[in-house]
Amino acid sequence: MLLLSTYLYHTSKFSRETTRKLVHIGASNWWFIAMWYFDTAYTVAIVPVMFVIVNVFSLKVHLFRSIEREEGKGEFGRLYYALSILFLSVWTFGIGHPEIGGIGVLVMGYVDGFAALVGIRYGKHLLYGKKTVEGTLAGALVAAIIVISFNYMYKVGLSSIEVGAVIIGAVFLEMVSSKGADNLTVPIGTAILVYLLM
């Protein structure tokens, strides 16, 4: 995904923000690979650890400019992204419920990604700060699809009210978090909420 974003950034009209969000969405799908091929917290942690190392290195030497924020340096959001995947990998595989981590990671990847892309392209009504009504609604729809799908496919055991609570909680965390902190609060907060409601 990092190499693809670099290629798209240098060979197309995609902005840096667009390529960042494409990586944001695409990289979260790694969780499906993890659920299919990994069994233990120790083995599944290998890939996120590598992701953390690559991100730390990239922050220092600007290796992947296609995923850096356009407004300047000092953006730690992508490092938080890698750290949250590492934490959820160890925790949820460790307790034998990787589907909980899947909900958190995919909500992080897809909700933030689609909310931003829709907000940038179609957002006309500011909710507050840089958040738009259109982007937030898109994020809520995507969150609903992810939570409902996981609840059904992996038999998580959430009632309809609990599914609604998780969706609202995920969107709320996305709305109130800023400066890349949503890459920690959204996945971890959503996963914890699912765990408490199971």
Side-chain angles (χ1 to χ4, degrees):
M1 287 307 301
L2 291 171
L3 293 174
L4 177 61
S5 71
T6 300
Y7 173 78
L8 291 174
Y9 178 65
H10 290 295
T11 62
S12 70
K13 294 182 180 179
F14 285 147
S15 68
R16 187 176 294 175
E17 189 64 18
T18 301
T19 58
R20 282 183 68 250
K21 293 308 175 184
L22 290 176
V23 171
H24 208 282
I25 293 167
S28 67
N29 291 302
W30 171 79
W31 200 268
F32 290 114
I33 298 172
M35 290 181 69
W36 290 331
Y37 293 106
F38 292 92
D39 295 320
T40 69
Y42 301 108
T43 55
V44 79
I46 295 170
V47 174
V49 165
M50 292 169 56
F51 193 28
V52 169
I53 293 169
V54 168
N55 273 282
V56 170
F57 182 70
S58 182
L59 278 170
K60 292 189 174 295
V61 301
H62 306 288
L63 182 61
F64 297 104
R65 293 191 179 275
S66 59
I67 61 170
E68 292 180 3
R69 285 197 179 273
E70 291 176 340
E71 56 262 32
K73 302 176 182 178
E75 172 53 50
F76 290 95
R78 63 185 187 271
L79 179 58
Y80 298 154
Y81 187 105
L83 288 171
S84 65
I85 291 179
L86 175 59
F87 171 79
L88 290 176
S89 297
V90 173
W91 173 44
T92 62
F93 275 81
I95 63 172
H97 287 286
E99 68 277 7
I100 297 174
I103 292 173
V105 168
L106 290 169
V107 163
M108 169 180 64
Y110 277 82
V111 170
D112 181 64
F114 276 98
L117 291 174
V118 170
I120 290 168
R121 180 69 178 86
Y122 301 104
K124 292 182 171 51
H125 304 90
L126 280 177
L127 198 56
Y128 81 96
K130 294 183 179 179
K131 312 285 184 179
T132 65
V133 172
E134 294 81 0
T136 301
L137 290 176
L141 176 61
V142 171
I145 292 170
I146 292 168
V147 177
I148 291 169
S149 297
F150 263 72
N151 193 46
Y152 175 75
M153 290 189 304
Y154 297 103
K155 299 187 173 25
V156 177
L158 299 177
S159 68
S160 298
I161 293 175
E162 290 168 340
V163 165
V166 172
I167 294 166
I168 292 170
V171 174
F172 175 76
L173 288 170
E174 170 62 30
M175 286 174 55
V176 299
S177 304
S178 61
K179 296 184 178 180
D182 56 343
N183 289 341
L184 284 173
T185 59
V186 172
I188 295 174
T190 301
I192 290 173
L193 182 57
V194 173
Y195 176 73
L196 293 175
L197 293 173
M198 285 178 67

